[in-house]
Amino acid sequence: MIWGMTLLATACTSHRNVSSQSPVYLDESKSIEERVEDALSRMTLEEKIDMTHAQSKFSSPGVPRLGIPEIWCTDGPHGIRPEVFWDEWDQAGWTNDSCTAYPALTGLAATWNKDLSHLYGHSIGEEARYRKKSVLLGPGVNICRTPLNGRNFEYMGEDPYLASTLVVPYIQGVQENGVAACVKHFALNNAESNRHTTNIHIDDRTLHEIYLPAFKAAVQEGQAWAIMGSYNLYRHIWCSHNPYLLNDILKKDWGFDGVVISDWGAVHDTDEAVKNGLDLEYGSWTNGLTMGKTNAYDNYFLADPYREGIRSGKYGTEELDEKCRRILRLIFRTEMAPDRPFGRFTCPEHYEAARKIGTESIVLLKNEDILPIAVEKAKQILVVGENAIKMMSVGGGSSSLKVEHEISPLEGIRTRFGQSSEIIFERGYDSHTNEGYNGVSAGKEADETRSAAELFNDAIKAAKKADYVIYVGGLNKAAHQDCEDTDRLSYELPYGQNELIEALAAVNKNLIVVNISGNPVAMPWADHVPAIVQSWYLGSEAGTCLAAILSGDENPSGKLPFTYPVQYSDGPLKEAAQYPGVLEGKTGGVEAYDEPIHEMYYSEGIFVGYRWYEKQAIKPQFAFGHGLSYTRFELNDIHLDRTSIRNNESLKVTATLTNVGERAGAEVVQLYIQDEESSVERPLKELKGFTKVFLEPGESQDIEFSIDIESLRFYDATTQQWVAEPGEFAIHLGTSSDKILQTAKFSLR
């Protein structure tokens, strides 16, 4: 690692002070494309081959002979991963790599705030740049198809428009720092169980309408410099070397000019990797998953096997040159960018960004006049629940972090209320997940010696005496919770929490339930508690954010980025073939990875999330876009500037939002469009616009949306084209998918 970083520093500085005789690739006055072609013309076959695969766990070679630096990647997208040894996953033992932890991306999505998405990207990009990283492995934009997916917490919810809108400023913020955003996982990685061996069956319309839009926006609007292929298969070909996804859609149709990077160990075959759109192979051991050899990196699929294939005449060099062009382009945009800033790390501004994003992400699901907490009535506050003390920046897989600090919910509550109230803590339950991750402790208090019954009874006994009970539970980032490579085993809360919450509600009427998770969970007790708060994995400032909402120092303005069904069976996935997939006797067909393939059928089609619940007229526990406030808003006077439009025209929609309450606050006005006449089945309505508006008490603001033909289209799988059919449409404005306040109609001629 030290040698690699030294080489990186040398290579980065070697191109700065150059004479007029220097090669074009060093001449910063030339375009990137000129520099790429010049550098490529000077490279040997060996140097080109070396450039297309990893040399360590998180780096790939440059060209030392030419002063072209290495590429260094870091896991994200919530913080910069601690340094590991050159060829091991274990931490390298650095003392200066403790980062700022930002809220998980479900939290960012819950802000419904494009400005905060840019702030997030810019802040984490500064941290990556300071740590001398070329590529940030994030953000993730896979759709929340099932609430059991262990990795939903790393993504941006169930709706393609919401994810598309928020991913763009994140990418732009990261790349302003000369660090590439690597958008993942392309594509159809909507479950973690059997992720290496699951082949996806999906119709073209569903693929293009639901699962690809956020990636397309990342490429065409965000101008992402890198895309990561996913582990799963599509059309019986692994996605990291899938010709339809990578060559046809990503590079040809969308015009992507960046680098396709494999997920670690997601490559399975040299022929496919050469021809099917992969540019840069990363992994571990030899093929990343099942086998290791001496000189492992030389045995990568794009290493010695590729070199020998070219020498034997099996492959030409056209594909190799194209891979190197893309890799060089990435290097010139990052490591060799002339105006690349220096970055910042764990500075006050970054903690303030984490605090602001986290506070604005918290969703007030239910409130029967108990929140905010009245300090004068809170002489004794009981905090119950293991999530009040557990570090949530640790665990969950590759996004696990080593942080400079993480303020727990209990710490935040003690700091905010401790001067006026007695704060008591009872664990209530013990998950027995104390192991931490990759050498980082989860930071909990000492292991419990009490039995489960004693923990339960002690919490109930204390609740009888308290003025307020704040329950802080939910999921954690252990295996089969919110965690990479495993899915949840149940929609229910684990560790007996449902019974504990019911018992607390029975003995104290001032119970506030704070659910911390990256997924919806069952809430059979929802009708029995007066207040429910949805928090997330909020990072370094988690406790400060939560205390600000509970105290009323901040007015909640978060909105759910996914639907909360009452029970899992209410959702669209009814059969094993839909999820988690079924074995049909097929194998991967690759000698090094000849394992059974699970077949997964997306037979629910486009009806994912709120689209499904509205189609079936099933009332959810909490709807997509739901979120309450400590103030009240009214939305009035919807107006369309015309009653019909043609294909090349746009429609202006205006309305007036007023804060009619007594506190300053923010509301998210959501615009949904309904196609009332269609030759194909369409959702009852679809999100096509939103805006977040901050208003003082009594203040009004006119809001405006512009609707064009793209907002009216569906994907015609027969013609492979986006189509908007003439007819009648309705525009619905509301504050959640189930709270529509204004409606107007227009026609497409």
Side-chain angles (χ1 to χ4, degrees):
M1 179 67 75
I2 294 175
W3 175 86
M5 296 301 288
T6 302
L7 176 60
L8 174 60
T10 302
C12 282
T13 57
S14 66
H15 73 286
R16 295 300 179 186
N17 299 314
V18 295
S19 71
S20 60
Q21 302 301 313
S22 297
V24 173
Y25 78 86
L26 292 178
D27 187 346
E28 294 166 354
S29 69
K30 299 295 184 180
S31 72
I32 285 181
E33 296 309 310
E34 290 175 309
R35 298 172 72 193
V36 165
E37 293 303 321
D38 181 60
L40 185 66
S41 71
R42 299 169 188 272
M43 292 169 60
T44 67
L45 174 65
E46 296 297 322
E47 288 167 341
K48 292 177 182 178
I49 291 289
D50 287 346
M51 186 174 272
T52 62
H53 65 272
Q55 65 178 4
S56 76
K57 279 289 183 282
F58 282 98
S59 72
S60 57
V63 187
R65 181 180 64 86
L66 298 177
I68 297 174
E70 303 158 321
I71 291 172
W72 281 86
C73 300
T74 180
D75 269 318
H78 312 132
I80 308 307
R81 186 174 182 159
E83 300 296 336
V84 300
F85 288 114
W86 182 264
D87 193 32
E88 300 176 31
W89 290 112
D90 292 339
Q91 282 194 56
W94 290 23
T95 58
N96 60 349
D97 58 346
S98 297
C99 69
T100 306
Y102 297 90
L105 288 189
T106 43
L108 175 61
T111 70
W112 291 59
N113 188 324
K114 291 174 280 188
D115 293 337
L116 288 188
S117 184
H118 180 269
L119 174 65
Y120 193 130
H122 186 80
S123 301
I124 197 172
E126 285 188 324
E127 299 229 340
R129 173 66 188 99
Y130 184 90
R131 288 269 298 280
K132 296 181 172 60
K133 305 303 180 184
S134 319
V135 179
L136 176 73
L137 301 174
V141 292
N142 295 101
I143 294 298
C144 177
R145 178 176 178 248
T146 168
L148 301 186
N149 180 14
R151 214 165 183 181
N152 279 339
F153 73 96
E154 289 192 52
Y155 303 142
M156 295 188 181
E158 73 185 27
D159 183 75
Y161 182 87
L162 178 64
S164 298
T165 303
L166 292 179
V167 72
V168 170
Y170 181 109
I171 293 168
Q172 293 169 338
V174 170
Q175 295 185 169
E176 288 166 356
N177 295 282
V179 175
C182 184
V183 185
K184 59 188 186 182
H185 303 87
F186 191 66
L188 301 167
N189 185 185
N190 307 107
E192 289 296 293
S193 295
N194 307 313
R195 62 179 177 168
H196 302 287
T197 58
T198 293
N199 178 55
I200 305 300
H201 297 258
I202 186 172
D203 66 90
D204 282 351
R205 182 185 173 195
T206 301
L207 176 70
H208 285 271
E209 287 193 20
I210 303 296
Y211 297 99
L212 293 187
F215 290 104
K216 184 177 182 180
V219 169
Q220 296 190 332
E221 299 175 49
Q223 299 293 305
W225 295 339
I227 294 287
M228 180 186 288
S230 59
Y231 282 123
N232 52 285
L233 301 91
Y234 167 60
R235 295 186 174 183
H236 300 286
I237 303 175
W238 273 280
C239 291
S240 278
H241 36 78
N242 188 294
Y244 182 61
L245 289 176
L246 301 181
N247 286 336
D248 295 346
I249 294 177
L250 180 65
K251 294 182 175 180
K252 181 181 177 181
D253 294 349
W254 296 352
F256 176 65
D257 69 354
V259 175
V260 175
I261 298 176
S262 73
D263 206 339
W264 268 231
V267 183
H268 300 273
D269 181 75
T270 297
D271 282 352
E272 292 182 2
V274 169
K275 300 173 183 177
N276 293 349
L278 178 66
D279 300 311
L280 184 52
E281 179 186 1
Y282 275 95
S284 54
W285 295 99
T286 298
N287 66 8
L289 294 172
T290 60
M291 54 188 291
K293 297 180 181 178
T294 304
N295 302 321
Y297 297 102
D298 290 335
N299 287 282
Y300 271 36
F301 292 105
L302 289 181
D304 283 350
Y306 193 9
R307 180 182 293 107
E308 294 306 313
I310 290 177
R311 287 174 173 169
S312 69
K314 182 178 182 179
Y315 310 121
T317 58
E318 181 180 350
E319 295 96 345
L320 177 60
D321 284 350
E322 179 58 20
K323 296 177 196 299
C324 289
R325 281 189 184 94
R326 291 174 179 272
I327 296 168
L328 286 167
R329 191 178 294 129
L330 175 69
I331 293 172
F332 287 133
R333 284 168 167 171
T334 57
E335 295 296 337
M336 296 182 74
D339 55 351
R340 196 181 190 205
F342 290 106
R344 296 186 294 175
F345 198 65
T346 57
C347 58
E349 292 83 358
H350 289 176
Y351 287 117
E352 174 59 19
R355 185 203 63 79
K356 184 172 178 59
I357 296 163
T359 302
E360 209 167 299
S361 76
I362 295 174
V363 184
L364 181 60
L365 296 177
K366 179 181 179 181
N367 186 23
E368 295 178 349
D369 297 324
I370 186 175
L371 288 174
I373 292 173
V375 176
E376 65 277 6
K377 298 179 181 178
K379 301 305 179 185
Q380 186 183 92
I381 297 175
L382 171 66
V383 179
V384 179
E386 185 180 274
N387 282 3
I389 58 173
K390 192 175 190 300
M391 289 183 66
M392 292 300 185
S393 60
V394 179
S398 61
S399 65
S400 184
L401 302 173
K402 181 173 75 174
V403 297
E404 188 178 58
H405 74 254
E406 179 178 337
I407 299 172
S408 71
L410 181 59
E411 290 175 303
I413 291 168
R414 280 175 171 162
T415 298
R416 176 59 183 85
F417 295 99
Q419 292 185 347
S420 58
S421 306
E422 179 186 9
I423 310 298
I424 300 172
F425 174 71
E426 285 289 345
R427 187 178 233 135
Y429 67 92
D430 191 343
S431 69
H432 301 288
T433 56
N434 303 319
E435 66 277 8
Y437 184 87
N438 196 22
V440 182
S441 169
K444 297 197 303 181
E445 295 178 355
D447 289 343
E448 279 288 349
T449 58
R450 290 175 289 178
S451 67
E454 288 173 321
L455 289 170
F456 185 99
N457 292 332
D458 287 349
I460 302 306
K461 181 179 178 181
K464 294 177 180 179
K465 303 175 183 178
D467 297 305
Y468 284 89
V469 177
I470 303 173
Y471 180 83
V472 186
L475 305 180
N476 57 42
K477 294 166 78 176
H480 298 297
Q481 296 298 311
D482 284 326
C483 186
E484 180 182 2
D485 205 28
T486 64
D487 284 346
R488 297 167 63 192
L489 302 177
S490 170
Y491 185 54
E492 303 298 318
L493 284 175
Y495 318 126
Q497 291 181 79
N498 286 336
E499 294 78 8
L500 178 57
I501 294 170
E502 291 279 12
L504 291 170
V507 300
N508 195 308
K509 62 182 178 60
N510 290 329
L511 172 62
I512 301 156
V513 175
V514 178
N515 180 69
I516 296 177
S517 69
N519 260 308
V521 299
M523 294 183 172
W525 34 261
D527 292 338
H528 306 152
V529 302
I532 306 173
V533 175
Q534 174 64 45
S535 190
W536 316 95
Y537 306 121
L538 295 185
S540 291
E541 297 294 311
T544 304
C545 299
L546 179 60
I549 294 297
L550 297 178
S551 65
D553 294 342
E554 298 278 356
N555 196 345
S557 63
K559 299 283 185 175
L560 288 178
F562 40 55
T563 306
Y564 250 89
V566 174
Q567 52 196 2
Y568 184 79
S569 60
D570 289 345
L573 306 187
K574 306 293 187 183
E575 301 173 359
Q578 291 177 287
Y579 175 83
V582 293
L583 292 171
E584 295 181 353
K586 301 173 185 176
T587 65
V590 178
E591 182 179 354
Y593 202 87
D594 194 21
E595 294 193 17
I597 297 298
H598 295 77
E599 307 294 338
M600 187 181 292
Y601 295 83
Y602 285 40
S603 53
E604 73 281 1
I606 61 172
F607 293 98
V608 176
Y610 67 91
R611 291 165 170 80
W612 166 264
Y613 297 99
E614 292 184 348
K615 174 188 177 183
Q616 301 296 327
I618 296 173
K619 182 176 175 57
Q621 189 77 65
F622 299 107
F624 171 78
H626 171 77
L628 305 177
S629 171
Y630 294 151
T631 190
R632 296 179 296 110
F633 297 91
E634 289 184 356
L635 183 65
N636 295 297
D637 302 327
I638 188 171
H639 175 74
L640 310 184
D641 69 342
R642 60 187 68 188
T643 57
S644 64
I645 60 171
R646 300 181 186 275
N647 279 343
N648 60 348
E649 297 175 332
S650 61
L651 178 73
K652 183 188 295 184
V653 183
T654 58
T656 301
L657 182 70
T658 304
N659 183 346
V660 297
E662 299 178 352
R663 294 177 53 108
E667 181 60 279
V668 179
V669 180
Q670 303 162 34
L671 184 150
Y672 297 84
I673 291 182
Q674 178 182 1
D675 186 350
E676 296 186 334
E677 304 174 36
S678 178
S679 62
V680 298
E681 186 178 23
R682 302 194 70 176
L684 180 63
K685 62 180 185 292
E686 296 180 279
L687 182 72
K688 294 297 179 180
F690 64 87
T691 185
K692 194 165 194 175
V693 182
F694 293 81
L695 297 174
E696 296 292 330
E699 183 182 6
S700 295
Q701 182 173 318
D702 292 335
I703 57 175
E704 181 178 310
F705 298 96
S706 181
I707 301 301
D708 58 24
I709 194 70
E710 289 190 7
S711 302
L712 312 180
R713 291 174 172 170
F714 65 89
Y715 190 81
D716 188 326
T718 302
T719 63
Q720 301 286 293
Q721 299 290 327
W722 288 90
V723 175
E725 295 177 333
E728 299 298 317
F729 292 83
I731 289 177
H732 303 288
L733 295 183
T735 54
S736 67
S737 61
D738 67 345
K739 190 175 182 181
I740 299 303
L741 304 175
Q742 296 278 290
T743 296
K745 296 188 178 184
F746 70 97
S747 61
L748 175 66
R749 292 180 288 173

